[in-house]
């Protein structure tokens, strides 16, 4: 029973490079989320998907794009990475109205 | 704009002390409030509170919600070093989405 699986766990990029963070859940949840967490701070929502086929912006969407590929998978893409995007990224999923289950996080450094 | 404020920002106590963590919120279409504990990695779920005045309890941890005054508290009695973590609160809206987290309270329990 894997829960929420994120890949990669660590990534170092140079400014301007692109990458996609992958997230998959096996709990048949409708809602999926991408958050970022900067040192010493709480979680800030980047994008979320309330159901398959829909995505919505969160608090800090600039510089990111998302794809809800199917009910299981929700990917986050950085088209042109910037040092300000250095952060820990968490994917999460939930059944609507219930608690969130989090992936183990991706530590991203942009040099 | 939704707002969630946690206090104190950080707290240092000794084992055996009792602590009270605060979470105030201003959220459109509020449904529930959730508490999470975050150690080194992803947040783990503690409580979901939907009704005012009903205390939820799990071992040494308890929490209560006041929907009139728009706040929640998390109490930890007889603290242990294993309680050292960041404690996060987050509201769920009526659509069941978790869009805003508080900035967290960093608790350190010294032996």
């Amino acid at each position: 029973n894997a829960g929420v699986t994120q890949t990669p766990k660590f990534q170092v990029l140079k400014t301007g490079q692109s990458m996609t963070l992958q997230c998959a859940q096996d709990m048949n949840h409708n809602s999926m989320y991408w958050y970022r967490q900067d040192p010493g701070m709480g979680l800030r929502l980047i994008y979320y998907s309330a159901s398959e086929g829909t995505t919505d912006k969160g608090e800090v969407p600039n510089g990111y794009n998302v794809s809800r590929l199917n009910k299981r998978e929700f990917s986050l893409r950085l088209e042109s990475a910037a040092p300000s995007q250095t952060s820990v990224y968490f994917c999460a999923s939930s059944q609507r109205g219930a608690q969130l289950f989090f992936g183990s996080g991706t530590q991203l450094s942009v040099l | 704009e939704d707002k969630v404020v946690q206090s104190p920002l950080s707290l240092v106590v000794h084992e055996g002390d009792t602590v009270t963590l605060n979470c105030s919120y201003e959220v459109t279409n509020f449904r529930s409030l959730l508490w999470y504990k975050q150690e080194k990695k992803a947040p783990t779920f503690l409580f979901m509170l939907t009704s005012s005045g009903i205390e939820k309890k799990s071992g040494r941890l308890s929490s209560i919600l006041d929907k009139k005054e728009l706040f929640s508290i998390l109490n930890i009695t007889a603290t242990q070093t294993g309680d050292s973590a960041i404690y996060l609160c987050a509201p769920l809206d009526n659509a069941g989405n978790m869009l805003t987290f508080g900035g967290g309270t960093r608790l350190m329990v010294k032996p």
Side-chain angles (χ1 to χ4, degrees), chain A residues 31 33 35 37 40-43 45 48 50 90 96-100 102-104, chain B residues 31 34 36 38 41-43 45 48 88 92 95-99 101-103 106:
Chain A
S31 302
Y33 303 79
Y35 295 92
Q37 186 174 35
M41 296 183 68
L43 297 163
L45 182 65
Y48 68 105
F90 289 103
R96 201 165 304 155
Q99 67 186 84
L100 264 64
F102 286 85
S104 58
Chain B
R31 178 179 186 166
L34 281 75
Y36 285 82
Q38 184 178 26
K41 291 259 187 172
F45 173 74
M48 177 186 281
L88 299 161
L92 272 177
N97 295 316
M98 187 174 294
L99 305 183
F101 271 82
R106 184 179 294 272

Side-chain angles (χ1 to χ4, degrees), chain A residues 14-65:
Chain A
K14 293 181 180 177
T15 297
Q17 287 185 316
S18 62
M19 78 160 295
T20 299
L21 281 65
Q22 307 286 355
C23 176
Q25 51 92 9
D26 62 2
M27 295 174 281
N28 201 36
H29 286 164
N30 290 311
S31 302
M32 296 187 74
Y33 303 79
W34 277 105
Y35 295 92
R36 61 177 285 175
Q37 186 174 35
D38 299 323
M41 296 183 68
L43 297 163
R44 291 188 293 169
L45 182 65
I46 305 171
Y47 272 93
Y48 68 105
S49 170
S51 62
E52 187 179 352
T54 68
T55 60
D56 285 287
K57 293 179 181 179
E59 182 186 353
V60 288
N62 291 344
Y64 304 95
N65 285 302

Side-chain angles (χ1 to χ4, degrees), chain A residues 84-104:
Chain A
S84 61
Q85 294 178 304
T86 293
S87 191
V88 179
Y89 291 83
F90 289 103
C91 176
S93 72
S94 73
Q95 206 58 284
R96 201 165 304 155
Q99 67 186 84
L100 264 64
F101 292 83
F102 286 85
S104 58

